[in-house]
Amino acid sequence: MSSINPPELRSAGAGYRVGANDRREVVMARCETCGNDYDKAFQVTMGETTHTFDSFECAIHALAPTCKHCGIRIVGHGLEKEGTFFCCEHCAEMVGVTGLRDRIGAAA
Ligand SMILES: [Zn+2]
Ligand SMILES: [Zn+2]
């Protein structure tokens, strides 16, 4: 006799990482921004949290930081200074933050 098999939660793809404390098993592919239940939804993992979206637009809406100066969503490589984000060096300078370099290549 076998114990109750868990439902097929882990068929989300080869790259799906099962962490030690995986508290959020993703069962429904429902966009957390708009609530759309979409079979081609995808997941974005930031730190310890995995988010599910049906479109990049929704992902950007939920996750992309906004520029401290002009307020646009930073979709590309932004600039960061102690948790504050800027879309470009110009915006950073406008609020008095200098010495920022583009983070391209900063991460491994
Ligand atoms: Zn959505
Ligand atoms: Zn800006």
Side-chain angles (χ1 to χ4, degrees), residues 25-51:
E25 295 280 6
V26 178
V27 182
M28 299 283 290
R30 186 181 293 278
C31 176
E32 34 182 274
T33 297
C34 69
N36 186 25
D37 189 357
Y38 182 43
D39 65 352
K40 291 182 179 59
F42 58 93
Q43 295 175 343
V44 176
T45 300
M46 292 182 80
E48 298 290 308
T49 310
T50 299
H51 303 270

PDB file of all heavy atoms in Angstrom, residues 25-51:
ATOM      1  N   GLU A  25       3.169  26.057  -3.016  1.00  0.00           N
ATOM      2  CA  GLU A  25       3.051  25.202  -4.180  1.00  0.00           C
ATOM      3  C   GLU A  25       2.111  25.884  -5.159  1.00  0.00           C
ATOM      4  O   GLU A  25       1.008  26.258  -4.810  1.00  0.00           O
ATOM      5  CB  GLU A  25       2.474  23.845  -3.771  1.00  0.00           C
ATOM      6  CG  GLU A  25       3.376  23.060  -2.849  1.00  0.00           C
ATOM      7  CD  GLU A  25       4.480  22.351  -3.615  1.00  0.00           C
ATOM      8  OE1 GLU A  25       4.598  22.572  -4.824  1.00  0.00           O
ATOM      9  OE2 GLU A  25       5.206  21.580  -2.986  1.00  0.00           O
ATOM     10  N   VAL A  26       2.586  26.040  -6.354  1.00  0.00           N
ATOM     11  CA  VAL A  26       1.742  26.714  -7.337  1.00  0.00           C
ATOM     12  C   VAL A  26       0.875  25.684  -8.032  1.00  0.00           C
ATOM     13  O   VAL A  26       1.368  24.789  -8.694  1.00  0.00           O
ATOM     14  CB  VAL A  26       2.603  27.470  -8.361  1.00  0.00           C
ATOM     15  CG1 VAL A  26       1.715  28.132  -9.401  1.00  0.00           C
ATOM     16  CG2 VAL A  26       3.443  28.508  -7.646  1.00  0.00           C
ATOM     17  N   VAL A  27      -0.385  25.801  -7.817  1.00  0.00           N
ATOM     18  CA  VAL A  27      -1.305  24.849  -8.411  1.00  0.00           C
ATOM     19  C   VAL A  27      -2.002  25.481  -9.607  1.00  0.00           C
ATOM     20  O   VAL A  27      -2.021  24.937 -10.694  1.00  0.00           O
ATOM     21  CB  VAL A  27      -2.346  24.402  -7.371  1.00  0.00           C
ATOM     22  CG1 VAL A  27      -3.275  23.376  -7.992  1.00  0.00           C
ATOM     23  CG2 VAL A  27      -1.654  23.849  -6.142  1.00  0.00           C
ATOM     24  N   MET A  28      -2.541  26.656  -9.374  1.00  0.00           N
ATOM     25  CA  MET A  28      -3.244  27.338 -10.444  1.00  0.00           C
ATOM     26  C   MET A  28      -2.308  28.315 -11.137  1.00  0.00           C
ATOM     27  O   MET A  28      -1.523  28.995 -10.503  1.00  0.00           O
ATOM     28  CB  MET A  28      -4.419  28.120  -9.854  1.00  0.00           C
ATOM     29  CG  MET A  28      -5.423  27.252  -9.151  1.00  0.00           C
ATOM     30  SD  MET A  28      -6.482  26.379 -10.314  1.00  0.00           S
ATOM     31  CE  MET A  28      -7.425  27.760 -10.940  1.00  0.00           C
ATOM     32  N   ALA A  29      -2.395  28.348 -12.440  1.00  0.00           N
ATOM     33  CA  ALA A  29      -1.620  29.328 -13.174  1.00  0.00           C
ATOM     34  C   ALA A  29      -2.445  30.597 -13.310  1.00  0.00           C
ATOM     35  O   ALA A  29      -2.895  30.959 -14.385  1.00  0.00           O
ATOM     36  CB  ALA A  29      -1.242  28.775 -14.537  1.00  0.00           C
ATOM     37  N   ARG A  30      -2.647  31.232 -12.188  1.00  0.00           N
ATOM     38  CA  ARG A  30      -3.486  32.419 -12.190  1.00  0.00           C
ATOM     39  C   ARG A  30      -2.615  33.654 -11.970  1.00  0.00           C
ATOM     40  O   ARG A  30      -1.809  33.700 -11.055  1.00  0.00           O
ATOM     41  CB  ARG A  30      -4.534  32.308 -11.075  1.00  0.00           C
ATOM     42  CG  ARG A  30      -5.542  33.441 -11.082  1.00  0.00           C
ATOM     43  CD  ARG A  30      -6.526  33.298  -9.949  1.00  0.00           C
ATOM     44  NE  ARG A  30      -7.395  32.133 -10.099  1.00  0.00           N
ATOM     45  CZ  ARG A  30      -8.489  32.119 -10.862  1.00  0.00           C
ATOM     46  NH1 ARG A  30      -8.843  33.189 -11.523  1.00  0.00           N
ATOM     47  NH2 ARG A  30      -9.216  31.039 -10.951  1.00  0.00           N
ATOM     48  N   CYS A  31      -2.802  34.612 -12.818  1.00  0.00           N
ATOM     49  CA  CYS A  31      -2.016  35.828 -12.712  1.00  0.00           C
ATOM     50  C   CYS A  31      -2.331  36.560 -11.423  1.00  0.00           C
ATOM     51  O   CYS A  31      -3.495  36.819 -11.117  1.00  0.00           O
ATOM     52  CB  CYS A  31      -2.314  36.729 -13.913  1.00  0.00           C
ATOM     53  SG  CYS A  31      -1.465  38.304 -13.819  1.00  0.00           S
ATOM     54  N   GLU A  32      -1.304  36.907 -10.673  1.00  0.00           N
ATOM     55  CA  GLU A  32      -1.579  37.588  -9.412  1.00  0.00           C
ATOM     56  C   GLU A  32      -1.824  39.081  -9.577  1.00  0.00           C
ATOM     57  O   GLU A  32      -2.216  39.748  -8.627  1.00  0.00           O
ATOM     58  CB  GLU A  32      -0.499  37.332  -8.359  1.00  0.00           C
ATOM     59  CG  GLU A  32       0.892  37.183  -8.847  1.00  0.00           C
ATOM     60  CD  GLU A  32       1.846  36.896  -7.690  1.00  0.00           C
ATOM     61  OE1 GLU A  32       2.295  37.866  -7.094  1.00  0.00           O
ATOM     62  OE2 GLU A  32       2.140  35.720  -7.417  1.00  0.00           O
ATOM     63  N   THR A  33      -1.613  39.571 -10.742  1.00  0.00           N
ATOM     64  CA  THR A  33      -1.928  40.981 -10.963  1.00  0.00           C
ATOM     65  C   THR A  33      -3.379  41.168 -11.387  1.00  0.00           C
ATOM     66  O   THR A  33      -4.112  41.959 -10.809  1.00  0.00           O
ATOM     67  CB  THR A  33      -1.000  41.581 -12.030  1.00  0.00           C
ATOM     68  OG1 THR A  33       0.333  41.524 -11.552  1.00  0.00           O
ATOM     69  CG2 THR A  33      -1.354  43.030 -12.312  1.00  0.00           C
ATOM     70  N   CYS A  34      -3.796  40.448 -12.406  1.00  0.00           N
ATOM     71  CA  CYS A  34      -5.140  40.664 -12.946  1.00  0.00           C
ATOM     72  C   CYS A  34      -6.085  39.511 -12.673  1.00  0.00           C
ATOM     73  O   CYS A  34      -7.283  39.622 -12.917  1.00  0.00           O
ATOM     74  CB  CYS A  34      -5.058  40.945 -14.445  1.00  0.00           C
ATOM     75  SG  CYS A  34      -4.552  39.512 -15.408  1.00  0.00           S
ATOM     76  N   GLY A  35      -5.553  38.398 -12.165  1.00  0.00           N
ATOM     77  CA  GLY A  35      -6.421  37.285 -11.828  1.00  0.00           C
ATOM     78  C   GLY A  35      -6.767  36.381 -12.996  1.00  0.00           C
ATOM     79  O   GLY A  35      -7.538  35.443 -12.848  1.00  0.00           O
ATOM     80  N   ASN A  36      -6.199  36.648 -14.143  1.00  0.00           N
ATOM     81  CA  ASN A  36      -6.498  35.825 -15.310  1.00  0.00           C
ATOM     82  C   ASN A  36      -5.952  34.416 -15.133  1.00  0.00           C
ATOM     83  O   ASN A  36      -4.813  34.224 -14.713  1.00  0.00           O
ATOM     84  CB  ASN A  36      -5.860  36.480 -16.541  1.00  0.00           C
ATOM     85  CG  ASN A  36      -6.235  35.760 -17.822  1.00  0.00           C
ATOM     86  OD1 ASN A  36      -7.263  35.103 -17.894  1.00  0.00           O
ATOM     87  ND2 ASN A  36      -5.400  35.887 -18.825  1.00  0.00           N
ATOM     88  N   ASP A  37      -6.781  33.459 -15.439  1.00  0.00           N
ATOM     89  CA  ASP A  37      -6.375  32.065 -15.344  1.00  0.00           C
ATOM     90  C   ASP A  37      -5.955  31.615 -16.736  1.00  0.00           C
ATOM     91  O   ASP A  37      -6.774  31.383 -17.608  1.00  0.00           O
ATOM     92  CB  ASP A  37      -7.564  31.244 -14.852  1.00  0.00           C
ATOM     93  CG  ASP A  37      -7.145  29.831 -14.514  1.00  0.00           C
ATOM     94  OD1 ASP A  37      -5.971  29.488 -14.715  1.00  0.00           O
ATOM     95  OD2 ASP A  37      -8.001  29.073 -14.051  1.00  0.00           O
ATOM     96  N   TYR A  38      -4.662  31.529 -16.919  1.00  0.00           N
ATOM     97  CA  TYR A  38      -4.137  31.389 -18.270  1.00  0.00           C
ATOM     98  C   TYR A  38      -3.198  30.211 -18.330  1.00  0.00           C
ATOM     99  O   TYR A  38      -2.299  30.075 -17.506  1.00  0.00           O
ATOM    100  CB  TYR A  38      -3.401  32.691 -18.617  1.00  0.00           C
ATOM    101  CG  TYR A  38      -2.828  32.778 -20.001  1.00  0.00           C
ATOM    102  CD1 TYR A  38      -3.546  32.349 -21.108  1.00  0.00           C
ATOM    103  CD2 TYR A  38      -1.574  33.329 -20.203  1.00  0.00           C
ATOM    104  CE1 TYR A  38      -3.015  32.456 -22.371  1.00  0.00           C
ATOM    105  CE2 TYR A  38      -1.041  33.447 -21.464  1.00  0.00           C
ATOM    106  CZ  TYR A  38      -1.767  33.004 -22.553  1.00  0.00           C
ATOM    107  OH  TYR A  38      -1.233  33.123 -23.802  1.00  0.00           O
ATOM    108  N   ASP A  39      -3.369  29.363 -19.324  1.00  0.00           N
ATOM    109  CA  ASP A  39      -2.559  28.140 -19.347  1.00  0.00           C
ATOM    110  C   ASP A  39      -1.112  28.396 -19.745  1.00  0.00           C
ATOM    111  O   ASP A  39      -0.258  27.537 -19.598  1.00  0.00           O
ATOM    112  CB  ASP A  39      -3.196  27.072 -20.244  1.00  0.00           C
ATOM    113  CG  ASP A  39      -3.236  27.482 -21.705  1.00  0.00           C
ATOM    114  OD1 ASP A  39      -2.916  28.654 -22.006  1.00  0.00           O
ATOM    115  OD2 ASP A  39      -3.579  26.655 -22.538  1.00  0.00           O
ATOM    116  N   LYS A  40      -0.834  29.570 -20.256  1.00  0.00           N
ATOM    117  CA  LYS A  40       0.554  29.889 -20.593  1.00  0.00           C
ATOM    118  C   LYS A  40       1.151  30.898 -19.622  1.00  0.00           C
ATOM    119  O   LYS A  40       2.104  31.608 -19.953  1.00  0.00           O
ATOM    120  CB  LYS A  40       0.646  30.413 -22.025  1.00  0.00           C
ATOM    121  CG  LYS A  40       0.352  29.328 -23.048  1.00  0.00           C
ATOM    122  CD  LYS A  40       0.487  29.821 -24.457  1.00  0.00           C
ATOM    123  CE  LYS A  40       0.197  28.688 -25.443  1.00  0.00           C
ATOM    124  NZ  LYS A  40      -1.178  28.139 -25.248  1.00  0.00           N
ATOM    125  N   ALA A  41       0.622  30.898 -18.460  1.00  0.00           N
ATOM    126  CA  ALA A  41       1.182  31.771 -17.434  1.00  0.00           C
ATOM    127  C   ALA A  41       2.596  31.321 -17.104  1.00  0.00           C
ATOM    128  O   ALA A  41       2.968  30.172 -17.323  1.00  0.00           O
ATOM    129  CB  ALA A  41       0.306  31.738 -16.184  1.00  0.00           C
ATOM    130  N   PHE A  42       3.362  32.225 -16.569  1.00  0.00           N
ATOM    131  CA  PHE A  42       4.741  31.891 -16.229  1.00  0.00           C
ATOM    132  C   PHE A  42       5.034  32.393 -14.826  1.00  0.00           C
ATOM    133  O   PHE A  42       4.277  33.169 -14.255  1.00  0.00           O
ATOM    134  CB  PHE A  42       5.708  32.502 -17.246  1.00  0.00           C
ATOM    135  CG  PHE A  42       5.603  33.996 -17.361  1.00  0.00           C
ATOM    136  CD1 PHE A  42       6.419  34.825 -16.603  1.00  0.00           C
ATOM    137  CD2 PHE A  42       4.682  34.569 -18.219  1.00  0.00           C
ATOM    138  CE1 PHE A  42       6.327  36.196 -16.701  1.00  0.00           C
ATOM    139  CE2 PHE A  42       4.571  35.954 -18.321  1.00  0.00           C
ATOM    140  CZ  PHE A  42       5.390  36.767 -17.564  1.00  0.00           C
ATOM    141  N   GLN A  43       6.161  31.948 -14.304  1.00  0.00           N
ATOM    142  CA  GLN A  43       6.513  32.303 -12.942  1.00  0.00           C
ATOM    143  C   GLN A  43       7.807  33.087 -12.903  1.00  0.00           C
ATOM    144  O   GLN A  43       8.717  32.857 -13.693  1.00  0.00           O
ATOM    145  CB  GLN A  43       6.638  31.044 -12.086  1.00  0.00           C
ATOM    146  CG  GLN A  43       5.301  30.343 -11.947  1.00  0.00           C
ATOM    147  CD  GLN A  43       5.418  29.029 -11.211  1.00  0.00           C
ATOM    148  OE1 GLN A  43       6.504  28.482 -11.081  1.00  0.00           O
ATOM    149  NE2 GLN A  43       4.299  28.534 -10.734  1.00  0.00           N
ATOM    150  N   VAL A  44       7.835  33.996 -11.986  1.00  0.00           N
ATOM    151  CA  VAL A  44       9.032  34.794 -11.772  1.00  0.00           C
ATOM    152  C   VAL A  44       9.428  34.623 -10.309  1.00  0.00           C
ATOM    153  O   VAL A  44       8.620  34.832  -9.417  1.00  0.00           O
ATOM    154  CB  VAL A  44       8.767  36.287 -12.062  1.00  0.00           C
ATOM    155  CG1 VAL A  44       9.999  37.128 -11.748  1.00  0.00           C
ATOM    156  CG2 VAL A  44       8.348  36.482 -13.516  1.00  0.00           C
ATOM    157  N   THR A  45      10.657  34.227 -10.098  1.00  0.00           N
ATOM    158  CA  THR A  45      11.134  34.057  -8.731  1.00  0.00           C
ATOM    159  C   THR A  45      12.064  35.203  -8.371  1.00  0.00           C
ATOM    160  O   THR A  45      13.052  35.458  -9.055  1.00  0.00           O
ATOM    161  CB  THR A  45      11.873  32.724  -8.570  1.00  0.00           C
ATOM    162  OG1 THR A  45      10.980  31.667  -8.892  1.00  0.00           O
ATOM    163  CG2 THR A  45      12.360  32.551  -7.138  1.00  0.00           C
ATOM    164  N   MET A  46      11.691  35.896  -7.315  1.00  0.00           N
ATOM    165  CA  MET A  46      12.541  36.968  -6.812  1.00  0.00           C
ATOM    166  C   MET A  46      12.863  36.648  -5.372  1.00  0.00           C
ATOM    167  O   MET A  46      11.978  36.638  -4.530  1.00  0.00           O
ATOM    168  CB  MET A  46      11.826  38.319  -6.908  1.00  0.00           C
ATOM    169  CG  MET A  46      11.612  38.773  -8.353  1.00  0.00           C
ATOM    170  SD  MET A  46      10.822  40.399  -8.445  1.00  0.00           S
ATOM    171  CE  MET A  46      12.224  41.470  -8.151  1.00  0.00           C
ATOM    172  N   GLY A  47      14.119  36.392  -5.111  1.00  0.00           N
ATOM    173  CA  GLY A  47      14.496  36.006  -3.755  1.00  0.00           C
ATOM    174  C   GLY A  47      13.814  34.695  -3.401  1.00  0.00           C
ATOM    175  O   GLY A  47      13.983  33.698  -4.085  1.00  0.00           O
ATOM    176  N   GLU A  48      13.020  34.721  -2.353  1.00  0.00           N
ATOM    177  CA  GLU A  48      12.370  33.506  -1.892  1.00  0.00           C
ATOM    178  C   GLU A  48      10.952  33.372  -2.423  1.00  0.00           C
ATOM    179  O   GLU A  48      10.285  32.386  -2.156  1.00  0.00           O
ATOM    180  CB  GLU A  48      12.321  33.508  -0.353  1.00  0.00           C
ATOM    181  CG  GLU A  48      13.680  33.527   0.317  1.00  0.00           C
ATOM    182  CD  GLU A  48      14.409  32.210   0.125  1.00  0.00           C
ATOM    183  OE1 GLU A  48      13.832  31.153   0.422  1.00  0.00           O
ATOM    184  OE2 GLU A  48      15.557  32.250  -0.361  1.00  0.00           O
ATOM    185  N   THR A  49      10.493  34.378  -3.125  1.00  0.00           N
ATOM    186  CA  THR A  49       9.090  34.404  -3.506  1.00  0.00           C
ATOM    187  C   THR A  49       8.906  34.136  -4.993  1.00  0.00           C
ATOM    188  O   THR A  49       9.608  34.693  -5.821  1.00  0.00           O
ATOM    189  CB  THR A  49       8.490  35.784  -3.173  1.00  0.00           C
ATOM    190  OG1 THR A  49       8.831  36.105  -1.827  1.00  0.00           O
ATOM    191  CG2 THR A  49       6.979  35.765  -3.313  1.00  0.00           C
ATOM    192  N   THR A  50       7.968  33.277  -5.289  1.00  0.00           N
ATOM    193  CA  THR A  50       7.649  32.991  -6.675  1.00  0.00           C
ATOM    194  C   THR A  50       6.307  33.616  -7.030  1.00  0.00           C
ATOM    195  O   THR A  50       5.333  33.448  -6.315  1.00  0.00           O
ATOM    196  CB  THR A  50       7.592  31.475  -6.916  1.00  0.00           C
ATOM    197  OG1 THR A  50       8.868  30.917  -6.611  1.00  0.00           O
ATOM    198  CG2 THR A  50       7.246  31.167  -8.363  1.00  0.00           C
ATOM    199  N   HIS A  51       6.302  34.343  -8.103  1.00  0.00           N
ATOM    200  CA  HIS A  51       5.091  35.019  -8.554  1.00  0.00           C
ATOM    201  C   HIS A  51       4.625  34.391  -9.860  1.00  0.00           C
ATOM    202  O   HIS A  51       5.427  33.908 -10.645  1.00  0.00           O
ATOM    203  CB  HIS A  51       5.364  36.505  -8.776  1.00  0.00           C
ATOM    204  CG  HIS A  51       5.891  37.208  -7.557  1.00  0.00           C
ATOM    205  ND1 HIS A  51       5.061  37.799  -6.627  1.00  0.00           N
ATOM    206  CD2 HIS A  51       7.149  37.409  -7.130  1.00  0.00           C
ATOM    207  CE1 HIS A  51       5.810  38.330  -5.671  1.00  0.00           C
ATOM    208  NE2 HIS A  51       7.081  38.112  -5.947  1.00  0.00           N
TER     209      HIS A  51
END
